[in-house]
């Protein structure tokens, strides 16, 4: 009966086969499965409960079948019956041929059902045909672009773009998501609010390992681009590494999602050495020089064994492009999952040829837009480090502000969070007073004492300054910094507990 139904349907002219090109006619399709699935739904609306939740109306090859499925879902979502009589009034769009008797066609679909139990297998077959059609379109587009290349597009760009489409197809079953109706967005938003309510104050994002930062940000949240900036010697690489490693330790007891760090400035071995120094509390300089005793070496081996299996990945490829970052991150997520991406640092990422020709500001703008796109695409937070301009050094107050970001317009605009790391101790060490000409000893001693008191007060302390947060408050969080271990920690003071925000 299904075969005769298809023949009658296609002969009626509703299926627009004449309007399809020869390649489209050869596209993978299974109209029998589409009709059998829709017939099952019309026979018993509860069949929709057996269909995978990610099944989408765009999977149907025939536009009319897609419209019928959407109408069935819309009616059942509001607890209404979806049958040939109720559906006919909702099927009056451009997908319908005016010559077809839609009510009769819907009745034929329902009467043609042979087995309700096979509905989920029909849905799987329909999805498989859609995936194959999408693969053909991706391959066809790649062939056309490779035969007719654009001057500003490199082969690596084509690889990255194609890989992104394949990733989206594999992860989301869609090449372009397109507009979402407010009902769908509202349902997703409500689920997020419900999840936040059930957490009862627990972190919504990736654990940074710093209580003040966690409270202020709620952790590093999915799809956010977080920029951490600072002048050289402030410890931004150390702080980012500490955050990444804390997240890896937290994840191993939770989701076990890997942390991926792109180290464009330091080698993987140098970064690992920093981590070993921090975790073993052995002076990093002693590790570099090999000047450690047997006790320290045993401590080092024990630390290595403790952290050996942490989900922490390092990519130290120099001058890597945004496309390569996206490609490698997608590959890791497909293989092992992904919890956080750290990039050290933005100004060392290689820009595209087109943006490079337009100047450095445009190049960095293209890079930050690309990083934000990766964060959204992979639904993971990206912590990207950035250099600051020398304008900081020319002010009396060395605390950085947003305007100090190099190429600040694009970075500030694209980032969801902008943080600065600032250590007053560093600047005080550089400004140790010396006796001026014609200055008496008493006056110099007074100046030196003031400097020394200020220096002692700032010793071992650092500030994480949150200057922009799209979804929350800004502020300053004080932390402790141990330079010889390249380690940041929560600050413990006599009148403050380490889990307070400063």
């Amino acid at each position: 009966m299904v075969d005769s139904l298809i023949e009658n349907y296609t002969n009626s002219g509703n299926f627009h086969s004449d309007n399809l090109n020869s390649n489209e006619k050869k596209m993978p399709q299974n109209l029998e499965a589409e009709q059998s699935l829709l017939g099952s739904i019309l026979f018993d609306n509860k069949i929709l409960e057996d269909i995978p939740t990610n099944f989408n109306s765009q999977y149907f090859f025939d536009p009319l079948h897609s419209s019928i499925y959407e109408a069935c879902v819309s009616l059942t979502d509001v607890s209404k019956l979806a049958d040939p009589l109720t559906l006919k009034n909702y099927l009056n769009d451009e997908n319908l041929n005016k010559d077809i008797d839609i009510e009769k066609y819907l009745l034929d679909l329902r009467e043609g059902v042979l087995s309700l139990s096979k509905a989920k297998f029909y849905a799987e077959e329909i999805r498989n045909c859609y995936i194959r059609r999408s693969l053909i379109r991706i391959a066809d587009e790649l062939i056309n672009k490779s035969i007719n290349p654009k001057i500003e597009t490199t082969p690596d760009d084509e690889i990255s773009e194609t890989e992104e489409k394949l990733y989206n197809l594999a992860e989301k079953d869609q090449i372009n998501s397109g507009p979402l109706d407010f009902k769908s967005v509202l349902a997703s938003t409500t689920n997020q609010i419900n999840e936040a309510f059930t957490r009862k104050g627990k972190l919504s994002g990736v654990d940074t390992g710093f209580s003040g930062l966690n409270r202020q940000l709620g952790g590093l949240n999915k799809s956010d681009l977080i920029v951490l900036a600072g002048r050289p010697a402030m410890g931004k690489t150390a702080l980012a590494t500490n955050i990444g490693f804390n997240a890896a330790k937290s994840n191993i007891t939770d989701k076990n999602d890997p942390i991926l760090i792109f180290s464009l400035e330091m080698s993987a071995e140098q970064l690992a050495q920093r981590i070993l120094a921090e975790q073993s509390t052995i002076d990093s300089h002693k590790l570099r020089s090999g000047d450690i005793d047997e006790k320290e070496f045993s401590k080092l081996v024990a630390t290595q064994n403790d952290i050996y299996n942490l989900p922490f990945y390092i990519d130290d490829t120099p001058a890597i492009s945004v496309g390569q970052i996206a490609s490698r991150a997608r590959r890791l997520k497909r293989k092992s999952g992904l919890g956080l991406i750290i990039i050290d640092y933005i100004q060392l990422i290689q820009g595209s040829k087109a943006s490079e020709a337009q100047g450095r500001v445009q190049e960095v703008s293209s890079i930050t837009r690309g990083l934000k796109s990766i964060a959204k695409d992979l639904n993971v937070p990206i912590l990207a480090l950035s250099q600051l301009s020398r304008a900081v050094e020319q002010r009396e107050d060395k605390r950085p502000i947003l305007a100090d970001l190099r190429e600040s317009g694009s970075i500030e605009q694209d980032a969801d969070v902008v943080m600065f790391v600032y250590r007053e101790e560093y600047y005080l060490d550089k400004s140790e007073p010396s006796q001026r000409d014609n200055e008496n000893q008493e006056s110099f001693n007074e100046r030196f004492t003031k400097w020394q008191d200020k220096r002692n007060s700032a010793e071992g302390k650092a500030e994480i300054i949150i200057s922009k947060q799209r979804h929350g408050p800004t502020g300053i969080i004080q932390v402790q910094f141990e330079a010889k271990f390249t380690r940041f920690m929560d600050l413990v003071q006599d009148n403050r507990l380490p889990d307070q925000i400063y």
Side-chain angles (χ1 to χ4, degrees), residues 5 72 93 102 122 226-227 288 347-348 366 418 422 495:
L5 183 62
C72 288
D93 61 17
I102 186 61
Y122 297 145
I226 304 108
V227 172
R288 285 193 299 272
Q347 284 79 11
L348 291 179
S366 175
V418 177
Y422 169 72
N495 60 339

Side-chain angles (χ1 to χ4, degrees), residues 175-195:
I175 302 170
N176 295 304
S177 59
L180 296 173
D181 62 273
F182 188 63
K183 179 176 66 176
S184 301
V185 176
L186 200 59
S188 175
T189 304
T190 304
N191 287 336
Q192 290 180 3
I193 294 172
N194 183 58
E195 288 175 7

